[in-house]
Structure formats: C-alpha cells, structure tokens
Amino acid sequence: MANPTDPVQCKPLEVQVGDKGIERAIKHLKRKMAAEGILRELKRRRHYMKPSIKRRKKMSEAARRRRKRLRTDDMPPRGGAGGGPGGGGGNGGML
C-alpha cells in the first residue's frame, strides 16, 4: 500500500473550453474527476484514520450492506392490491 504522503502519478485531466462556456467545462471536469475517483481519494486522504478504526469502519459498512440486502430480499414485490398501508386491500374496517 502506498504512503498517503507519496505523490500519486496519473495522467492529467484536460477539458476543452469551447464556445459552450466555462460552466459546462467545469461540469465536465467534475464529471471526469468523479469517474477517475479523484474526489473520493481526496476525501479519504483528508484525515488520517488509525488502522483499527479503518478496520472497524470497514466491518460496520459490510454489516450495513448485509442488513440492507436482507431487507430488500425479504420485501414482497410491490404493486397490485396488497393489504399493506394504503394498499387498497380489505374493506377499510367497515362491515
């Protein structure tokens, strides 16, 4: 793993500013930076995180993704006349 203080070697990003204006060129540059992962790397390197904290955070993120996956797998398919809240099923308590 590289040291966070080491310079990162990568190809330069270039954006042509044409007759469409500087605003569009800035949007294009931001999109390219996001695609390259520069913004994510910048946020990651902004603060030092101890290895124990990093490991704990990684485990908690994995657990969160696992819970989310279980929650989405257990959900019944949406649509149709279900008996859930606002589902239109049943007689609304009227007999």
Side-chain angles (χ1 to χ4, degrees):
M1 183 128 200
N3 189 359
T5 58
D6 290 344
V8 178
Q9 296 295 324
C10 59
K11 62 183 180 202
L13 291 176
E14 292 182 2
V15 176
Q16 298 293 324
V17 180
D19 57 339
K20 299 199 175 174
I22 189 92
E23 296 298 323
R24 181 169 274 186
I26 290 172
K27 278 186 182 180
H28 195 67
L29 177 66
K30 285 183 180 179
R31 203 174 309 128
K32 276 189 174 186
M33 287 172 62
E36 289 283 327
I38 294 172
L39 297 176
R40 192 178 323 119
E41 185 71 16
L42 183 70
K43 286 179 184 177
R44 189 179 70 82
R45 288 176 183 240
R46 189 163 289 168
H47 302 286
Y48 176 74
M49 193 181 302
K50 288 174 32 179
S52 60
I53 305 270
K54 197 181 294 187
R55 199 168 33 247
R56 204 177 320 152
K57 188 172 181 176
K58 186 176 178 182
M59 287 171 57
S60 70
E61 284 294 315
R64 185 184 63 79
R65 284 193 304 271
R66 198 170 29 252
R67 282 193 307 268
K68 185 176 180 181
R69 188 171 53 240
L70 285 173
R71 191 170 54 238
T72 57
D73 288 347
D74 290 345
M75 276 189 181
R78 294 184 57 127
N91 60 4
M94 300 279 225
L95 292 174

